[in-house]
Amino acid sequence: MDPAYRVALVAFPGIRSFDVSVITEVWGTDRTDRGAPAFDLRRVATDGTSVPMRGGLALAPDRTLTWLSRADLILVPGLDDHLTPAPAPVLDALRRAHARGTTLAALCGGAFTLAQAGLLDGRRAITHWNLINLLRTHHPRVTVVPDALFIEDDNIWTAAGTAAGIDLCLHLVRRFHGAEAAATIARSMVTAPFRTGTQAQFIEHPTPRADRDADTLAAVRDHALRHLHEPLTVADLAARAGMSPRSFARHFTAETGATPLRWLLDQRIAAAQKLLERTDLPMPEVARRAGFGSEVTMRQHFASRLATSPRAYRTAFSTRSATGSVAGGSSPIAR
């Protein structure tokens, strides 16, 4: 049995209880009976003193900062007061962890803690859209990205507000343990298993036709997911929605936070990941079923979006049976 993946939640007074709950739900719940990986989540603080949080809540640490040297992943929750100074030992420990090559991830206003440590200087970072100017003002050496759900720079991840912390945690599960593991956890949490980090933080719906457009576009997306293996174009999807390509692209982006082409690419990558994990299908067939057309095209997109190759992804995350069989059905993944 593989050793549990070690995750550290860095705790100090002022951290947000919501982010602590997100981290605990994703990484601190045992779902190994459903095929999810084993995680070892530890609440790490300067000492064993209870850490107060808003609303009368308190967090009981079970490890001190020395445990960070053992962690595979270090998570920094957001802050109730985004200018809360982190204890100097915490900042020093985060710097040492990054120097060792440990992955760091901050949820929402946790970016301010990483910025206090100087870890975001000269690097790209994101935070809640309403805090962007505050981060720029107090940490001018940080390259603040104005609109994304989460981003990475030099093994440091930052996320936008609230729900984007869930997206980042699930993305990190997907990155280190595969799409099937992330989907298992997402199903348990009854949340969406895949939102790309480049998606807009918030979506502005056109009001006069919002309901009608939402229903129409939902039907188009459902059609696209069932026909990913076909050479879909924006013009094809626009015609199905009864819109001009330009109008369709505008409404689609307003509805989903992503352009139609980017959304299609995201879904095709996710479909290919599932096929690589669940089946023994040859690479050209995986590429065809996911809609890439050729193995070369699929390999190029895996390299640019996942920083790996389809073969390396299969080697790392395959969960298929010895026979490599795949269930039948109407989905292009199962077809």
Side-chain angles (χ1 to χ4, degrees):
M1 179 181 294
D2 293 334
Y5 186 75
R6 297 181 295 268
V7 182
L9 186 166
V10 177
F12 57 89
I15 57 173
R16 294 180 70 221
S17 56
F18 179 87
D19 293 341
V20 169
S21 298
V22 168
I23 293 168
T24 303
E25 182 63 29
V26 173
W27 304 98
T29 302
D30 184 359
R31 300 182 178 91
T32 53
D33 61 332
R34 282 164 272 179
F39 301 131
D40 181 13
L41 175 66
R42 299 294 175 175
R43 293 160 293 279
V44 176
T46 55
D47 55 41
T49 306
S50 179
V51 176
M53 297 186 294
R54 180 179 291 179
L57 301 175
L59 181 69
D62 53 15
R63 292 292 185 274
T64 61
L65 294 171
T66 57
W67 196 82
L68 295 184
S69 64
R70 301 179 57 195
D72 300 301
L73 170 66
I74 297 173
L75 296 165
V76 182
L79 307 166
D80 285 322
D81 177 351
H82 307 290
L83 300 181
T84 298
V90 168
L91 300 179
D92 290 339
L94 291 173
R95 296 185 195 104
R96 289 194 298 270
H98 181 256
R100 285 192 301 269
T102 307
T103 301
L104 304 181
L107 281 60
C108 193
F112 285 82
T113 300
L114 295 182
Q116 287 179 42
L119 292 171
L120 299 183
D121 288 354
R123 297 190 173 102
R124 297 163 63 247
I126 186 63
T127 188
H128 190 287
W129 61 267
N130 199 39
L131 301 174
I132 286 174
N133 288 336
L134 188 67
L135 183 59
R136 284 173 172 160
T137 298
H138 287 269
H139 300 283
R141 298 183 64 186
V142 179
T143 302
V144 182
V145 177
D147 199 9
L149 290 181
F150 53 83
I151 60 173
E152 179 268 345
D153 194 333
D154 194 21
N155 209 27
I156 298 176
W157 295 83
T158 50
T162 314
I166 301 174
D167 295 317
L168 175 56
C169 285
L170 290 175
H171 177 78
L172 292 172
V173 173
R174 186 181 306 108
R175 181 180 178 88
F176 296 118
H177 304 282
E180 188 65 21
T184 296
I185 295 172
R187 283 194 298 269
S188 176
M189 294 174 62
V190 195
T191 190
F194 184 81
R195 285 208 300 169
T196 176
T198 54
Q199 190 167 315
Q201 285 199 37
F202 60 94
I203 298 168
E204 295 183 2
H205 294 275
T207 52
R209 299 173 23 164
D211 292 340
R212 189 180 77 187
D213 288 344
D215 291 343
T216 299
L217 295 176
V220 170
R221 291 196 299 274
D222 180 67
H223 171 81
L225 289 173
R226 288 185 286 106
H227 295 82
L228 280 178
H229 59 291
E230 298 177 5
L232 300 170
T233 66
V234 174
D236 294 334
L237 299 179
R240 192 167 190 86
M243 301 179 184
S244 70
R246 183 175 180 178
S247 177
F248 172 76
R250 184 174 67 254
H251 285 281
F252 191 98
T253 302
E255 176 71 22
T256 67
T259 66
L261 286 177
R262 180 172 289 277
W263 182 87
L264 269 174
L265 177 58
D266 290 339
Q267 305 312 312
R268 284 178 166 147
I269 289 174
Q273 287 177 297
K274 291 179 181 178
L275 287 167
L276 291 168
E277 292 184 22
R278 298 176 180 178
T279 78
D280 272 323
L281 291 169
M283 291 297 167
E285 181 63 10
V286 171
R288 186 192 71 80
R289 294 195 186 196
F292 287 110
S294 74
E295 181 182 351
V296 171
T297 300
M298 180 173 70
R299 189 164 58 244
Q300 290 171 341
H301 285 301
F302 264 63
S304 72
R305 298 297 294 277
L306 303 179
T308 189
S309 69
R311 292 184 188 280
Y313 185 90
R314 170 172 274 172
T315 299
F317 300 121
S318 175
T319 59
R320 64 192 184 280
S321 67
T323 61
S325 61
V326 59
S330 60
S331 165
I333 294 176
R335 190 174 290 116

